[in-house]
Every structure is written in C-alpha cells, then in structure tokens.
Amino acid sequence: MKPYVFCLALLACCAWAEEPPAPVTPDAYTCDNGSRVSISFSDDISGRPQATLHFSDGPMQLPRVPSGSGALYRQGDIRLHTKGDEAIFEDGRGNMRRCLLGDRPPVVAQPVPTPSVGGAFLGITGQVSYRSRIALPPGSILSIRIHDTSRGGAPIRTLVEQSYELDGTQLPIPFSATVDRSFIGKQSRLGVSARIEVGGRLRFVSEKAYPVIADGQATPVDIVLKPVAGKHKP
C-alpha cells in the first residue's frame, strides 16, 4: 500500500504546484454615453500584454501594439487606447467611446458634435467619398493620415496613419481616429488626407489636407477623393 500512498501524495503536490494564477480583477470604466465597461489587463500565454474587454455577450481580447504614448491594444479595426485613467474604445464600425476609470463619465464640453480636444486624446471623425460612379473591387484599402502642417518648409509630420479593408463598404465611408495630445503643440495645424488603393495601386487620392480643428473643437471632416489618371506607383 505504501507505493500507492506515495503516488497520491506526489499527484497532490503536482496539482498544487500547477495551480493556475488567480484571475485578474477587471477595472470598471464609465463612458461618455453613460455605458460602463470592465477592462482587465494581463499577458497572454506567450507573455504578450493584452487587454480584455468584458461585454455581456462575452470577452474581447486585444493584443498590445506599439504606440507613441500611452498603451494601444488592437485587433483589426477594433482599438483600445489608454493613458492614465482615460480610455478610448473604437468598435471598428465608426463608433467611438471616451471612458474614464471609476463611476463618473469623462467631462465633455457642450454642445458635443464630436469628442472634444480636452483630455489625453483628440478624437477625429469624418467620411470619405468620391464623385466617380465606379464601384470599388474586392481588396480595396482606404488609408487615413493625420498630419501636422505647421512646420513651415520642414517636411509634414504624420501623427496617425491607419488603414481599413473596405470589403464592399458603400459610399460615403466613415472613419474615426485618435491623436495623442502630447503630439500636438500650441501652433500645430492638423489636417487629414486619404487615399484608396486596389492591389497596391493608387486609385483615388485627396488633393489636400482637410483641417480638423475649428474654435478649439474637432469637427467632422468630409473628404472628397479624386481619381488617379493612368498608372501611379503607390
């Protein structure tokens, strides 16, 4: 009987040694639309940091990706950008929520046509269209760039660049982006431009950078693209 007793004791020790770590307690955030979301931060099995958003229909895990400031978690077009107690969540369908850790929503100035410049991030929204009666084929990619155009003769500095797989999206095409305010100086002039590529070849492009701030507020941007004549290297 002694060998069996020893095996049982050994199995008990192994089970104790392999006990999984205690679950991470989610942090509760309150958002500008009155909703609440719980977010936990941990590492995946490979040790990569990740954020888990706990929704009523199940959790959503977003791996961390490089960011100029704060922490950015992303899975496709779904993004979570955190800095201090603030968080901005983009659901990939053009909807954005600004959230604050705790029971109180973030303070937003009235009226609120779009997210205000205040806080750690500047939210920019808009839509892209073109006047040509041409349907976009599968594989079309929309790229949005937000620039600082205030540097005189110096090269224009790109603050944010993100791309969307259109997959049959009809015009006008909505977009949203966030800019870390630490990148924005008092003399900064922000503009947004766009382009559509198909198979790596440029098909439509904006001819200018559209301004995004008026009277201290981010305003929705309506970008109209022009077709590119002939062959163009991307």
Side-chain angles (χ1 to χ4, degrees), residues 15 29 49 76 126 159 182 192:
Y29 287 78
L159 303 180
S182 64
V192 59

Side-chain angles (χ1 to χ4, degrees), residues 55-70:
F55 296 117
S56 59
D57 56 351
M60 175 186 296
Q61 294 177 333
L62 306 177
R64 185 169 178 174
V65 298
S67 175
S69 180

Side-chain angles (χ1 to χ4, degrees), residues 173-195:
I173 305 166
F175 71 88
S176 64
T178 56
V179 179
D180 191 322
R181 289 197 65 207
S182 64
F183 295 155
I184 305 173
K186 293 182 179 180
Q187 304 300 322
S188 293
R189 292 195 302 271
L190 300 189
V192 59
S193 60
R195 56 195 286 153

Side-chain angles (χ1 to χ4, degrees), residues 10 19 27 34 61 64 68-69 81 83 100 102 109 171 173 197 199:
L10 181 61
E19 183 178 352
D27 296 323
Q61 294 177 333
R64 185 169 178 174
S69 180
H81 201 165
K83 186 175 182 181
L100 187 66
L171 299 177
I173 305 166
E197 294 176 288

Side-chain angles (χ1 to χ4, degrees), residues 133-151:
R133 296 183 178 180
I134 301 175
L136 293 172
S140 300
I141 303 293
L142 169 65
S143 297
I144 301 293
R145 293 179 181 175
I146 300 173
H147 314 274
D148 182 356
T149 62
S150 64
R151 305 179 65 190

